[in-house]
Amino acid sequence: MDQSFGLWIKRRRKALDLTQRELADKVGCSHSLIIKIELDERRPSRQVAELLATHLDVPPEQRELFLKVARQERSVERLAALPLIYGPEPLAPAKTSQVAQTHGRLSNLPIPLGHLIGREHELQAIIQQIQEPTCRLLTLTGPGGVGKTRLALEAAHQLDGEFEHGASFISLAGTSTPAFLIPAIADGLGLTFSGAADLKAQLFNFLREKQVLLVLDNLEHLLDGIELLGELLVTAPEVKLLTTSREQLSLQAEWTFEVRGFPIPTQVEPQDLATNSAAIFFIQRASQTTQGFTLQPEDLPAFMRICQLVEGLPLGLELAATWVRVMSVQDIASEIEHSIDFLTTTARDVPTRHRSLRAVFDHSWRLLSQEERCVMQDLSVFRGGFTREAADRVAHASLLLLSALVSKSLVRYSQDRRFDLHDLIHQYAGMLLEADPRAAGEALERHSVYYLELLRACDPILRSGRQKDALLELTAEIDNLRLAWDTAIENKRCERLQRAAFPYWYFHNLRDSLSEGEDAFERAARGARAELARIEAEQGTCAAMLVQSILGEMLSHQAQFTFRQGRIAAAAELYRESLERLRLQPDPAAMAQALTYTGVVQWIAGEFDQAWNYLKESMALLDECHHEWLQTQCRTFMGMVAHAQ
């Protein structure tokens, strides 16, 4: 089968620039139904299929074929007769490639919101380099804001059909350490890890036979673990990598391409505006702010000065263009020049490539209200984007404020209804927040409260028929969840950790992120142990009973991840201490879970009678607290032990 029905629907929807929720609203069905249709978990009813045909612009003469395929009365292969559309101008050349029609494609490329401006030469050079047989790894280097990501994405769209398994885009901007590089790549590819096998081995085995272009975006902060990419290229000989980074990766297989800003004009006449890349870009962005904007002849000297001050960087021009609402082009150039004399600065701790953007950011910051400044600083605590609700709870950002910041190009809004900050703006706002330790601490605390509460809210959904929905929602927030968990550990919020412990444990189990789960709970246990010692020293043993129970639960969750990775003896010792702690001030559910898995460890060790006793004690507790999910799990293991006996 060339493609699935769900994949065709997904590509058609994206080609029409519709989100899943927007398509659901048009069709009049639930958001989850569209998700399930695109995942091929459900086929639409006749009525829903007719509405899909209408809102996906299926031509009238082909609608009956579409309906028959939707209702499985015709094979999915017949969808080849219904070409995908990409609006008035295709993002990629219309190529007919046998390679592009094969099964198992990994393509997930985002659809850019606008056309690429003034980069034809660079784009062609990048494509030609990737097409070279000897080039397996091409890194686009250059300062932040120069347009590396946009160029890489456009190149990937044009190369997608030349790879048997397509091109896949993986953003690493929210990946905090090299330790999470493998899970981030796997998430981008839709790969779910299984069992206790080494994660790198699972990823490499998945890609071993694939012919795919992987676009790895924003690698500069992950260079300590970058040798992984060299190993991948050896293991998977048909994989090619297109990466973006502010500095070279320094790998043997690496080819580099320096991305520079738009050419800085030395002279611009009115007749040159239609062909000058920087002018076209500036006018387009300014027109989004002020309808009908154009550069007048008297504006041209000031415009050239702006290009010089921001060194032709697209982000600098974009931010400058937002100011045309409030001042003339001449005033913009004057204000940028006045704020910081970055061209002559001798400060050694300010990278040269940041000096022009620093001027842009400083002036942009002064144009914000005090409330907007506080919101921008607080938004910098997010990792990997955020939702509207999260912005409100963590940064006190109303929808009106968010909208204003989006219009000023300081916050971005994506098709999946998430917000984020450009990396350089994120760093700039974060630097200002860190200058006020009290404000930074309060923002991180609100962030931790929100995301650990989100875990609690998703707990019952994770254990229901809507598990996949909750898993998708939490996976999108993985970097925020990691930060929230670490903040609670650092701030000794033991009770908050305890309330989120079970869903966080189950979340990592569902993802098979065993080593990460073990590490998260080992650190939580270490923090609880230190807090326990402090309380016992200051207030006595009785006051420390609650923390004893919390420590016991953290050890129990840590032990289960240790056990699943095959370290049975170490897990047994952790469970032994866990039960000792939990018996001092029992939490029935936590105690029962520790007993259940202690029984499992004994069963695996061949101690069937001991296993039965632990499981029997667990079931007695669960009968008291009526935790049906844990009861079902315990009964399952009791059946296995009984069978073994």
Side-chain angles (χ1 to χ4, degrees), residues 182 185-186 189 191 193 199-207:
I182 291 175
I185 294 174
L189 293 170
L191 168 63
F193 293 123
L199 302 189
K200 182 171 74 172
Q202 292 188 59
L203 176 63
F204 283 14
N205 286 335
F206 176 78
L207 291 170

Side-chain angles (χ1 to χ4, degrees), residues 157 314 328 370 510 541 566:
H157 271 289
S328 68
Q370 184 59 37
L510 290 171
T541 303

Side-chain angles (χ1 to χ4, degrees), residues 407-441:
S407 70
K408 296 173 182 177
S409 299
L410 294 173
V411 175
R412 297 184 297 199
Y413 181 64
S414 60
Q415 294 179 0
D416 58 0
R417 299 193 175 188
R418 288 177 65 79
F419 296 87
D420 71 344
L421 306 181
H422 186 283
D423 186 48
L424 285 175
I425 297 174
H426 188 279
Q427 292 182 30
Y428 181 84
M431 176 191 65
L432 294 176
L433 180 63
E434 290 169 6
D436 185 346
R438 182 186 62 79

Side-chain angles (χ1 to χ4, degrees), residues 152-410:
L153 183 57
E154 189 69 24
H157 271 289
Q158 297 204 22
L159 290 164
D160 183 53
E162 298 187 18
F163 289 79
E164 179 179 352
H165 299 97
S168 188
F169 182 86
I170 300 162
S171 174
L172 299 168
T175 304
S176 56
T177 69
F180 298 133
L181 183 57
I182 291 175
I185 294 174
D187 284 343
L189 293 170
L191 168 63
T192 301
F193 293 123
S194 60
D198 179 66
L199 302 189
K200 182 171 74 172
Q202 292 188 59
L203 176 63
F204 283 14
N205 286 335
F206 176 78
L207 291 170
R208 191 182 303 274
E209 303 298 329
K210 300 290 192 300
Q211 187 194 43
V212 62
L213 175 65
L214 297 185
V215 182
L216 305 181
D217 188 44
N218 285 295
L219 274 171
E220 58 269 3
H221 60 298
L222 302 172
L223 298 184
D224 287 341
I226 211 64
E227 298 83 2
L228 169 78
L229 301 186
E231 297 174 41
L232 172 61
L233 292 175
V234 173
T235 305
E238 295 299 313
V239 169
K240 288 200 174 190
L241 302 178
L242 176 58
T243 68
T244 72
S245 175
R246 294 184 194 177
E247 60 182 286
Q248 295 183 18
L249 308 186
S250 297
L251 295 175
Q252 289 184 1
E254 183 185 29
W255 297 61
T256 61
F257 183 93
E258 183 183 1
V259 181
R260 300 181 178 180
F262 292 123
I264 301 174
T266 55
Q267 184 174 357
V268 179
E269 300 297 336
Q271 62 269 21
D272 299 329
L273 295 179
T275 57
N276 183 278
S277 300
I280 295 170
F281 186 84
F282 184 86
I283 292 171
Q284 182 191 80
R285 293 296 185 264
S287 297
Q288 292 176 221
T289 300
T290 305
Q291 189 172 8
F293 173 84
T294 186
L295 286 170
Q296 301 300 323
E298 61 268 25
D299 296 329
L300 298 184
F303 167 71
M304 288 190 294
R305 184 60 181 147
I306 291 173
C307 290
Q308 293 167 357
L309 290 171
V310 303
E311 297 182 359
L313 297 182
L315 179 60
L317 289 172
E318 183 168 355
L319 290 173
T322 64
W323 304 340
V324 301
R325 294 181 302 123
V326 294
M327 62 180 66
S328 68
V329 179
Q330 291 84 354
D331 288 338
I332 293 171
S334 176
E335 289 294 329
I336 294 175
E337 190 170 22
H338 177 71
S339 64
I340 290 181
D341 188 6
F342 61 92
L343 294 176
T344 58
T345 183
T346 57
R348 296 183 182 274
D349 59 343
V350 179
T352 301
R353 65 182 184 270
H354 287 173
R355 293 173 187 172
S356 60
L357 282 175
R358 178 69 178 270
V360 174
F361 293 153
D362 281 346
H363 187 79
S364 182
W365 199 259
R366 287 199 303 274
L367 291 176
L368 299 178
S369 67
Q370 184 59 37
E371 184 180 18
E372 287 172 331
R373 293 177 190 174
C374 291
V375 166
M376 280 297 298
Q377 290 180 187
D378 288 350
L379 290 177
S380 70
V381 303
F382 288 106
R383 301 292 183 267
F386 50 91
T387 63
R388 171 185 164 186
E389 179 187 358
D392 184 36
R393 290 278 301 278
V394 175
H396 307 303
S398 66
L399 180 59
L400 189 62
L401 259 175
L402 275 179
S403 177
L405 293 171
V406 169
S407 70
K408 296 173 182 177
S409 299
L410 294 173

